[in-house]
Amino acid sequence: MILQRMATRNHRPTSRRAPPKILFILLLIIFPICLLGVFTYGQKITYFFRPLWDKPPRSFYRIPHYYAENVSMEHLCRLHGWSILPQPRQVYDAVIFSNELDMLEIRWRELNPYVTKFVILESNTTFTGIPKPLFFTSNRARYAFAEAKIVHDTFSGRVANRGSHEDPFKLESWQRTAMNGLLRRSGISYGDLLIISDTDEIPSPHTLKLLQWCDGIPPVMHLELRHYMYSFEFPVDYSSWRATAHIYGPKTLYRHSRQTDLILSDAGWHCSFCFRRIQEFVFKMTAYSHADRVKGRDSLSYPRIQKLICQGDDLFDMLPEEYTFKELIKKLGRIPPSASAVHLPAYVIANAEKFRFLLPGGCVRSPD
Ligand SMILES: *[C@@H]1O[C@H](CO)[C@@H](O)[C@H](O)[C@H]1NC(C)=O
Ligand SMILES: *[C@@H]1O[C@H](CO)[C@@H](O)[C@H](O)[C@H]1NC(C)=O
């Protein structure tokens, strides 16, 4: 039947068919709309198709990490296949500081019992070449508890000329070079333990203690940190890997990139954009290495930022950086809030009133 009908249709004369004008008109409308779409959402479209154009970084070998309260150091070292040292290593903690005043206090309070020297470098410009107040210098009194251990220097950054465009990654790399110099002057010796990370990438105290006490640990390893956004109320995933622990040697360099395939699991916290004031969010958004993500003045309005923080939504209206469609779609949209304040830095829990904004239910920030 059907075949027969198709056959008769094919035999109809075709000369009467309407000219395809309507197609032309449709194309004329659709094409500019598509073009407009690509211009406004170009970045989003390319990011959405990342799984097609980008390969994921080589995967890490994750070192299993054992810890429980009240288990002896010797036993913990042995569980990792290491042995215990007769004396703990000296520990140096090195950060390049921007404006994370609260995170720096939590970091130093948390790590103070294990650290020999806190090495901190602060620049008077941002990575994007904008003059920047010396936030650490003007708030130094807040860190008096660690004063005897602080090795501090300021870096004179380069101010971008009007109209010209400093390469943020270049300025970042000069600061890292300056940090290598400061480290050498800090009194560090070969064989000491060196933590290299951003201020908001905080190894847990028991991780530091393990690395300080165990013999046979790898000379370089990344630290896998639990990643949070805005506060400990919004856990993202375990994807943070840039922090590293080194046995300091002649080849150790301050870098924030991939250095080895080894990563120690569950080794601490990375709290991104964990600021007390909206003003600090705005500062970081404009100073950020990826400052090209800030589109227009609208995106810096205080009420907009406050709303996004409480919703666990993306400040930059960006798609997550994922390499499979499955992961990308899983991560789209808001970060589901958590009600857990367990296994967080002890100093935050002991001073929960002071750090309300980092805990579940505390998303409302003061403006400045
Ligand atoms: C910790 O160890 C001590 C001594 O071995 C023991 O008395 C104590 O009950 C242990 N505490 C916990 C919480 O297991
Ligand atoms: C940064 O510090 C250096 C040295 O103190 C100074 O010469 C320079 O003008 C400063 N830059 C800014 C932007 O304040």
Side-chain angles (χ1 to χ4, degrees):
M1 260 307 262
I2 293 169
L3 274 178
Q4 216 169 13
R5 213 181 278 162
M6 274 172 69
T8 45
R9 193 186 287 165
N10 281 349
H11 281 253
R12 268 191 203 145
T14 49
S15 56
R16 287 262 173 113
R17 203 182 263 169
K21 236 188 222 155
I22 187 82
L23 250 175
F24 258 129
I25 294 170
L26 269 177
L27 266 178
L28 231 62
I29 296 170
I30 289 167
F31 186 70
I33 290 177
C34 286
L35 215 62
L36 201 74
V38 169
F39 274 118
T40 26
Y41 296 105
Q43 204 174 28
K44 267 204 153 167
I45 293 170
T46 37
Y47 275 62
F48 185 79
F49 289 105
R50 180 189 292 277
L52 299 180
W53 56 263
D54 203 1
K55 278 209 188 94
R58 204 165 64 251
S59 60
F60 281 106
Y61 172 74
R62 300 163 86 203
I63 303 171
H65 186 176
Y66 300 86
Y67 175 73
E69 265 178 68
N70 228 12
V71 176
S72 78
M73 214 53 235
E74 191 180 358
H75 186 66
L76 286 177
C77 286
R78 224 181 21 245
L79 282 173
H80 293 85
W82 305 325
S83 57
I84 193 163
L85 288 166
Q87 293 283 322
R89 292 187 177 87
Q90 305 267 77
V91 181
Y92 286 71
D93 178 57
V95 296
I96 291 177
F97 185 74
S98 168
N99 70 325
E100 307 89 348
L101 291 165
D102 285 286
M103 279 296 128
L104 186 70
E105 186 186 1
I106 294 164
R107 176 186 194 94
W108 284 5
R109 290 275 187 185
E110 210 64 19
L111 305 184
N112 196 20
Y114 311 98
V115 166
T116 311
K117 287 282 161 67
F118 289 113
V119 184
I120 179 168
L121 182 75
E122 181 175 32
S123 170
N124 63 3
T125 70
T126 67
F127 289 151
T128 41
I130 306 163
K132 157 191 170 299
L134 295 171
F135 291 109
F136 174 76
T137 309
S138 52
N139 288 277
R140 190 154 174 166
R142 188 170 168 186
Y143 308 95
F145 65 92
E147 188 53 50
K149 298 182 176 181
I150 298 175
V151 178
H152 167 253
D153 201 1
T154 52
F155 173 81
S156 53
R158 224 168 68 180
V159 180
N161 295 326
R162 245 164 202 274
S164 91
H165 191 77
E166 275 298 348
D167 179 359
F169 292 99
K170 206 150 97 197
L171 276 164
E172 195 169 347
S173 112
W174 288 333
Q175 289 193 27
R176 296 192 191 287
T177 310
M179 178 54 117
N180 284 317
L182 185 59
L183 264 175
R184 280 193 298 272
R185 284 179 271 134
S186 72
I188 196 170
S189 313
Y190 295 161
D192 291 345
L193 182 72
L194 168 64
I195 303 295
I196 291 179
S197 71
D198 282 352
T199 309
D200 58 8
E201 297 167 339
I202 308 177
S204 52
H206 66 77
T207 299
L208 227 56
K209 200 171 166 197
L210 182 82
L211 299 180
Q212 155 176 63
W213 271 104
C214 298
D215 197 8
I217 66 172
V220 189
M221 69 186 110
H222 287 269
L223 301 175
E224 181 191 65
L225 307 178
R226 178 142 207 185
H227 190 205
Y228 297 85
M229 189 62 76
Y230 311 139
S231 77
F232 295 110
E233 182 171 15
F234 295 108
V236 182
D237 56 18
Y238 277 95
S239 68
S240 177
W241 57 268
R242 288 182 182 272
T244 44
H246 302 249
I247 303 293
Y248 189 73
K251 288 194 184 145
T252 310
L253 283 180
Y254 193 100
R255 277 186 301 182
H256 205 224
S257 52
R258 177 77 174 248
Q259 303 180 43
T260 160
D261 286 342
L262 298 176
I263 190 166
L264 180 64
S265 309
D266 202 0
W269 311 273
H270 178 185
C271 204
S272 296
F273 287 88
C274 290
F275 294 115
R276 183 183 290 275
R277 299 176 189 86
I278 306 283
Q279 185 197 17
E280 296 169 300
F281 283 85
V282 171
F283 177 84
K284 175 83 179 205
M285 286 169 79
T286 44
Y288 206 53
S289 304
H290 308 280
D292 55 320
R293 292 183 185 180
V294 183
K295 293 172 210 126
R297 305 193 117 243
D298 257 10
S299 61
L300 297 177
S301 101
Y302 281 25
R304 173 181 176 270
I305 292 174
Q306 177 61 76
K307 193 169 122 224
L308 294 175
I309 295 168
C310 281
Q311 291 172 343
D313 239 329
D314 190 1
L315 284 177
F316 297 98
D317 192 25
M318 297 268 290
L319 288 175
E321 201 170 300
E322 289 298 341
Y323 299 92
T324 64
F325 285 114
K326 192 175 154 203
E327 284 304 312
L328 199 148
I329 287 169
K330 214 158 65 181
K331 293 256 183 74
L332 277 181
R334 298 171 182 178
I335 306 159
S338 154
S340 165
V342 177
H343 294 308
L344 297 185
Y347 190 69
V348 174
I349 305 301
N351 297 275
E353 272 321 303
K354 182 176 178 182
F355 296 110
R356 196 77 253 163
F357 69 100
L358 292 178
L359 293 167
C363 71
V364 176
R365 304 303 210 271
S366 69
D368 0 65

